Amino acid sequence: MNKERYLSLIHWAGEQPARKKMFCFLSRILPIVIGVVYILCLLGCLFVYPVLLLRLALRPALCFLTVTLLRKILKFPRPYDVYGYIPLCDHHPGKGCSFPSRHTASAAIIALEIFHLWRGIGAIMLLLALSVGLLRILCGNHFIKDVLAAYGIALLFNIL
């Protein structure tokens, strides 16, 4: 996606105050919802599938650490630093560390791991993980490549 298309997408997301407010609210609340559901699933796994608890805890942790390490090594700038605009929410100029998206990778690996244990909850979590990635792009915090790489890394950790 070139600069003009990306900026027009960001403009569309923020041109209506209600839409902007909704996107920023969802961008903040969805990771919290995913985290709470994850903790509940860890507790449920402790009682229902204690043998699988290590997998449910370890893979997301390793995925998070890997993505964090990649971000520190690569130091890719965020779209708002490259294109010089103010994103819809969560603006930290000069922060860098855009690739891959840590929010997206964490949401995706948690959803995939939960899907293995509880398909219904996992399916809902997968939709939430897709929403997190989309919101990271629409709010202007990540490039599409950041989000796609995050999904790929989460999938890789899930199948290993």
Side-chain angles (χ1 to χ4, degrees):
M1 180 179 292
N2 63 21
K3 178 181 178 179
E4 291 75 29
R5 283 187 177 169
Y6 190 79
L7 291 177
S8 71
L9 179 67
I10 304 304
H11 176 73
W12 171 84
E15 71 184 342
Q16 293 182 358
R19 184 186 303 146
K20 177 182 177 180
K21 194 174 190 177
M22 179 187 67
F23 285 162
C24 288
F25 173 75
L26 289 173
S27 181
R28 286 186 200 103
I29 199 72
L30 285 183
I32 294 168
V33 169
I34 290 169
V36 169
V37 172
Y38 178 53
I39 290 169
L40 293 173
C41 286
L42 283 169
L43 290 172
C45 190
L46 178 64
F47 297 110
V48 180
Y49 305 113
V51 172
L52 299 176
L53 183 61
L54 185 60
R55 173 190 168 142
L56 185 60
L58 192 57
R59 287 185 181 187
L62 291 174
C63 182
F64 179 86
L65 290 173
T66 301
V67 168
T68 299
L69 184 62
L70 276 172
R71 289 162 57 104
K72 295 295 181 195
I73 292 169
L74 298 173
K75 296 183 181 176
F76 283 20
R78 291 188 177 266
Y80 51 77
D81 290 328
V82 173
Y83 295 147
Y85 66 89
I86 296 176
L88 268 62
C89 39
D90 300 330
H91 183 231
H92 307 286
K95 183 179 176 187
C97 299
S98 177
F99 181 86
S101 169
R102 194 167 37 205
H103 279 90
T104 305
S106 297
I109 189 65
I110 288 169
L112 288 166
E113 290 300 321
I114 290 172
F115 187 78
H116 283 294
L117 299 174
W118 297 287
R119 300 254 185 226
I121 297 170
I124 293 168
M125 295 294 284
L126 286 169
L127 289 174
L128 293 179
L130 289 171
S131 298
V132 167
L134 181 61
L135 285 165
R136 301 304 292 166
I137 296 165
L138 288 174
C139 290
N141 295 68
H142 285 284
F143 291 108
I144 292 173
K145 67 179 174 149
D146 303 339
V147 169
L148 292 177
Y151 288 135
I153 291 168
L155 187 59
L156 182 67
F157 270 89
N158 181 254
I159 60 175
L160 292 178

